């Protein structure tokens, strides 16, 4: 498997350029971004490397092929041409799941069945068997059908990459780890950054920023589906984990300061920081945002305030924006990065953002409002 493989990494809408930048820094080749996805080329070693290091990707998929199909017979014939045997062994499991949008092949269960039958036929010919026991390693086949274009992939990640392993529980409305990491990439975290989150909740911003400051690979504390793949070179996962461990910054001056009105949220934040092994970089205190003081040193404030979708009613959320506008005063030392779904956020906050970026928090359309330090 020394040939270049085609990979696809789904991501949050709005973070495609951030993920593309991550991949380029990892040395990925032929990086191209599309809506909600970034593709690249790489070798088998990029399977563990990408899974261990990517902070904003949802998963890492090997693309086996892409083609146009408007009938079930076309779908079967094209799937049968794909080189499943280069990955899947005689005893391995290969279930099928996927989705279809704006396509003539709109029945997902029918597409699942046909893709499975085509894969069985292809592998049956290669291995000279008519039946597969499927008791071995898991090779999850994923398909997408968009405007009659079918893409067949193998999932190397297993659980979504946002599941870092440090947050088994959360508060009622957590921000996804991958989205938080993307916002922090935009805000720029360095080994000496001072970060404040006055709505820290489950501590996601605090932990993700600390991991980035220490150059700690977000996937080090979890396992991946492809770790059991026999088609990968022996020792490749161990080697990549060892390399990731060697790149951790042991001494940094970074500090994250989190506050929340809820003692339960602070307890969850403390647990997350401890499991992520960054407790020494995180300070927590119970505090109402009304008591927030603009830091005197160079800092950034990054937060995901409640915006009326789940935790507060809309009127309370709007009043909270007015409070933030009063306490998040302009400063030549402090930048603010606030994600909100409220369309009149800037009016409520009292200042127009220096820059905005459209993002999605789950299914909720949001904007990231950016207020940079004021010069002069």
């Amino acid at each position: 498997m020394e040939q270049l493989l085609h990979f696809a990494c789904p991501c949050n809408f709005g973070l495609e350029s951030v993920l593309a930048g991550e991949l380029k820094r990892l040395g990925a080749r032929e990086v191209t971004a599309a809506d909600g996805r970034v593709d690249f080329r790489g070798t088998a070693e990029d399977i563990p490397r990408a899974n261990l290091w990517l902070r904003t990707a949802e998963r890492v998929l090997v693309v086996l092929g892409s083609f146009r199909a408007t009938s079930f017979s076309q779908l079967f014939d094209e799937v049968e041409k794909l080189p499943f045997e280069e990955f899947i062994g005689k005893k391995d499991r290969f279930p099928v799941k996927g989705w279809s949008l704006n396509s003539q092949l709109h029945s997902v269960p029918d597409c699942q069945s046909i893709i499975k039958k085509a894969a069985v036929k292809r592998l049956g010919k290669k291995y000279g068997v008519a039946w597969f026991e499927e008791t071995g390693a898991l090779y999850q086949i994923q398909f997408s059908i968009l405007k009659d274009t079918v893409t067949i992939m193998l999932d190397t990640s297993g659980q979504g990459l946002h599941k870092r392993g440090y947050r088994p529980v959360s508060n009622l409305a957590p921000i996804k780890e991958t989205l938080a990491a993307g916002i922090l990439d935009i805000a720029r975290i360095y080994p000496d950054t001072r970060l404040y989150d006055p709505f820290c909740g489950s501590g996601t911003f605090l932990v993700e920023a600390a991991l980035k400051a220490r150059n700690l690979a977000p996937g080090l504390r979890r396992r991946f589906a492809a770790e059991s793949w026999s088609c990968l070179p022996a020792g490749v996962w161990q080697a990549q984990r060892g390399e990731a461990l060697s790149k951790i910054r042991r001494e940094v001056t970074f500090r994250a300061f989190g506050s929340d009105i809820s003692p339960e949220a602070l307890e969850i934040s403390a647990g997350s920081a401890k499991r992520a092994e960054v407790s020494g970089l995180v300070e927590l205190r119970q505090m109402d945002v009304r008591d927030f003081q603009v830091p005197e040193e160079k800092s950034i404030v990054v937060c995901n305030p409640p915006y009326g979708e789940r935790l507060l009613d809309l009127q309370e959320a709007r009043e909270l924006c007015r409070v933030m506008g009063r306490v998040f005063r302009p400063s030549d030392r402090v930048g603010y990065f606030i994600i909100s779904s409220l369309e009149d956020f800037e009016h409520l906050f009292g200042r127009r953002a220096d820059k905005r970026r459209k993002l999605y928090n789950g299914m909720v359309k949001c904007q990231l409002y950016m207020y940079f330090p004021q010069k002069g």
Side-chain angles (χ1 to χ4, degrees):
M1 289 182 58
E2 290 304 313
Q3 79 273 23
L4 284 185
L5 301 172
H6 179 185
F7 294 98
C9 295
C11 65
N12 265 291
F13 285 100
L15 292 183
E16 296 88 353
S17 62
V18 175
L19 175 54
E22 280 195 89
L23 284 163
K24 288 174 183 176
R25 290 192 293 273
L26 283 180
R29 288 168 265 189
E30 300 178 39
V31 178
T32 58
D35 288 344
R37 165 176 157 173
V38 179
D39 287 32
F40 71 99
R41 303 277 175 173
T43 66
E45 288 187 353
D46 287 300
I47 292 177
R49 184 180 292 118
N51 276 293
L52 287 167
W53 280 105
L54 291 178
R55 301 180 190 276
T56 58
E58 294 302 318
R59 52 187 68 245
V60 180
L61 306 167
V62 178
V63 179
L64 296 181
S66 188
F67 51 85
R68 181 175 171 80
T70 56
S71 69
F72 289 132
S73 59
Q74 266 187 305
L75 178 64
F76 185 95
D77 291 343
E78 292 298 326
V79 171
E80 192 187 354
K81 297 176 184 177
L82 300 178
F84 293 102
E85 70 282 354
E86 292 182 5
F87 299 88
I88 302 171
K90 190 186 295 187
K91 294 184 179 182
D92 294 330
R93 293 173 287 153
F94 51 103
V96 179
K97 66 180 179 182
W99 53 268
S100 177
L101 184 65
N102 298 331
S103 299
Q104 295 184 53
L105 301 178
H106 53 80
S107 171
V108 170
D110 286 340
C111 292
Q112 282 178 295
S113 177
I114 287 164
I115 291 168
K116 179 71 174 186
K117 288 176 181 176
V120 166
K121 185 176 179 181
R122 168 84 182 200
L123 290 168
K125 286 181 179 178
K126 295 294 180 179
Y127 293 124
V129 297
W131 178 81
F132 291 88
E133 60 182 69
E134 297 198 50
T135 58
L138 175 64
Y139 292 77
Q140 177 67 61
I141 298 174
Q142 290 205 1
F143 69 89
S144 66
I145 310 177
L146 178 62
K147 297 180 181 178
D148 298 325
T149 296
V150 181
T151 304
I152 306 294
M153 299 161 285
L154 293 176
D155 178 16
T156 73
S157 301
Q159 286 190 317
L161 294 183
H162 69 280
K163 297 197 174 185
R164 320 287 208 211
Y166 65 75
R167 197 178 73 175
V169 294
S170 62
N171 65 340
L172 293 178
I175 191 169
K176 208 172 185 181
E177 293 88 335
T178 44
L179 176 57
I183 292 171
L184 291 165
D185 190 286
I186 294 165
R188 298 189 179 179
I189 302 298
Y190 299 102
D192 62 349
T193 295
R194 290 288 190 273
L195 178 136
Y196 290 78
D197 181 358
F199 303 94
C200 67
S202 300
T204 309
F205 278 129
L206 309 176
V207 172
E208 289 295 322
L211 292 177
K212 190 172 179 64
R214 289 194 63 200
N215 201 37
L216 225 164
L220 267 177
R221 291 169 189 82
R222 55 160 287 174
R223 295 291 172 181
F224 304 92
E227 288 191 65
S228 61
W229 288 12
S230 60
C231 59
L232 296 181
V236 67
W237 283 94
Q238 183 179 0
Q240 288 298 322
R241 285 183 183 277
E243 183 177 340
L245 286 168
S246 72
K247 291 183 176 180
I248 297 173
R249 298 186 189 106
R250 304 294 174 181
E251 301 293 332
V252 297
T253 58
F254 169 91
R255 290 294 181 273
F257 303 92
S259 56
D260 202 286
I261 199 169
S262 164
E264 293 81 13
L266 293 173
E267 189 175 340
I268 295 170
S269 289
S272 296
K274 183 177 180 180
R275 281 183 291 272
E277 299 179 17
V278 295
S279 293
L281 306 182
V282 175
E283 295 184 24
L284 299 168
R285 63 179 292 198
Q286 186 176 357
M287 187 179 72
D288 191 303
V289 69
R290 290 169 176 81
D291 298 321
F292 179 82
Q293 298 291 321
V294 177
E296 294 183 1
E297 74 272 27
K298 184 180 178 181
S299 311
I300 59 172
V301 175
V302 183
C303 61
N304 173 36
Y307 29 87
E309 295 292 338
R310 285 175 284 183
L311 291 185
L312 294 177
D313 67 36
L314 185 58
Q315 197 55 42
E316 288 177 297
R318 290 167 62 85
E319 176 57 29
L320 198 56
C321 293
R322 296 186 182 98
V323 171
M324 285 191 291
R326 292 195 293 271
V327 299
F328 292 177
R329 298 190 308 276
S331 167
D332 62 355
R333 304 175 304 279
V334 182
Y336 302 96
F337 297 80
I338 308 163
I339 183 170
S340 177
S341 70
L342 297 175
E343 294 186 1
D344 59 346
F345 172 84
E346 290 169 302
H347 172 73
L348 297 166
F349 190 75
R351 301 196 300 278
R352 289 187 62 83
D354 296 310
K355 195 173 181 180
R356 297 190 304 176
R357 190 182 189 119
K358 187 187 296 183
L359 296 171
Y360 281 81
N361 188 1
M363 299 301 293
V364 181
K365 186 171 76 171
C366 300
Q367 293 276 356
L368 178 63
Y369 296 94
M370 295 172 257
Y371 297 85
F372 304 130
Q374 302 298 303
K375 297 178 181 178

